[in-house]
Amino acid sequence: MSLFKKLFGSKQKKEASGTGADERGKFMPEIKLPTDEKFTINFKKNGGKFLYCDSLEEIHECFNNILSENNWTKEHICCLDPKLNDLFKKYKFSNSNNCHNATLLLSPCENLVADNGAILISSNQIKESKLNDLPDNFIIFATTSQLVDTIGEGLRGIKNKNKNQIPTNITTIKHFSIQEEKDFLTYGSSSKNLYLLLLEDL
């Protein structure tokens, strides 16, 4: 699966094929997009910022670029996940149950949901914190193997992985522009300025 090629593939190839949606009749069945492509389209439509990486070196490089672009330092960052703390150990993040004073949360997730471009998270990542109590800025670290088609598929996966103790506080983030909170269509949802660092692992 090469998400990068799908995102930045050759324009000429697309133009030459001439099988655009406009040329299909309105009663033709909808073309079923691959999971990764569908997620990319919906995630970007939701306002998320997407960085695809082939290696951990690229992940660290993109992470540094995000920090410098926003003038964030390690003092601004909260990371509640021990494995992620280890992966980014050179930064020496604050690893506490309280992220109230942080500007940014670095976190893994349960799944990336293709049909609505959402990020599925649980108490495994954010403990018992409510989304509103966490910083407005998120950097989510995920791998391509975490892509699922639907929330239902993601929930089944969580249940299968955590048979002894199913996590609580399961929720999705699907609005990635802070100003959207003022829109009545997103009332009651928590918008986050969200970057996704996606590592190819398939």
Side-chain angles (χ1 to χ4, degrees):
M1 182 190 303
S2 182
L3 202 54
F4 187 75
K5 283 177 187 165
K6 287 178 183 175
L7 282 173
F8 305 105
S10 167
K11 237 182 183 177
Q12 293 163 340
K13 207 173 183 182
K14 286 177 191 169
E15 284 165 7
S17 66
T19 54
D22 297 340
E23 294 174 26
R24 291 173 59 80
K26 63 179 179 178
F27 298 110
M28 291 287 285
E30 200 176 308
I31 297 170
K32 187 166 168 35
L33 292 172
T35 304
D36 57 348
E37 201 170 333
K38 190 166 37 165
F39 172 77
T40 304
I41 291 164
N42 291 328
F43 178 77
K44 288 171 87 177
K45 204 184 285 182
N46 292 343
K49 291 174 274 295
F50 187 101
L51 296 147
Y52 172 86
C53 303
D54 273 329
S55 64
L56 285 173
E57 289 75 26
E58 269 190 75
I59 290 284
H60 285 286
E61 189 183 326
C62 289
F63 183 73
N64 284 327
N65 290 339
I66 294 168
L67 296 188
S68 61
E69 180 187 311
N70 293 281
N71 294 317
W72 290 328
T73 64
K74 64 180 184 182
E75 287 74 29
H76 293 112
I77 303 164
C78 174
C79 182
L80 302 172
D81 185 84
K83 287 181 185 170
L84 214 49
N85 257 308
D86 197 43
L87 190 64
F88 290 86
K89 60 187 171 193
K90 69 175 183 179
Y91 296 95
K92 296 178 183 160
F93 302 131
S94 161
N95 182 20
S96 70
N97 291 333
N98 186 349
C99 281
H100 289 298
N101 298 322
T103 305
L104 166 70
L105 175 70
L106 173 66
S107 175
C109 67
E110 294 288 349
N111 289 108
L112 308 171
V113 184
D115 70 355
N116 62 358
I119 309 286
L120 184 63
I121 56 175
S122 75
S123 56
N124 286 340
Q125 292 82 43
I126 59 170
K127 314 244 182 250
E128 298 307 319
S129 302
K130 293 179 182 170
L131 284 179
N132 286 332
D133 297 333
L134 293 168
D136 285 336
N137 305 294
F138 273 41
I139 296 178
I140 297 290
F141 172 77
T143 59
T144 49
S145 60
Q146 290 176 275
L147 284 158
V148 293
D149 277 310
T150 64
I151 290 176
E153 192 182 331
L155 293 173
R156 282 192 298 277
I158 291 172
K159 193 176 175 184
N160 291 337
K161 274 191 299 184
N162 302 276
K163 285 182 179 171
N164 295 334
Q165 189 176 359
I166 294 171
T168 56
N169 202 15
I170 299 169
T171 188
T172 58
I173 313 169
K174 57 184 173 187
H175 301 293
F176 309 126
S177 298
I178 301 302
Q179 63 267 24
E180 284 186 20
E181 284 185 328
K182 295 173 185 171
D183 185 341
F184 77 95
L185 292 172
T186 60
Y187 180 77
S189 65
S190 292
S191 299
K192 299 293 178 187
N193 174 35
L194 191 141
Y195 291 86
L196 174 62
L197 293 174
L198 185 63
L199 178 65
E200 175 70 68
D201 71 339
L202 291 174

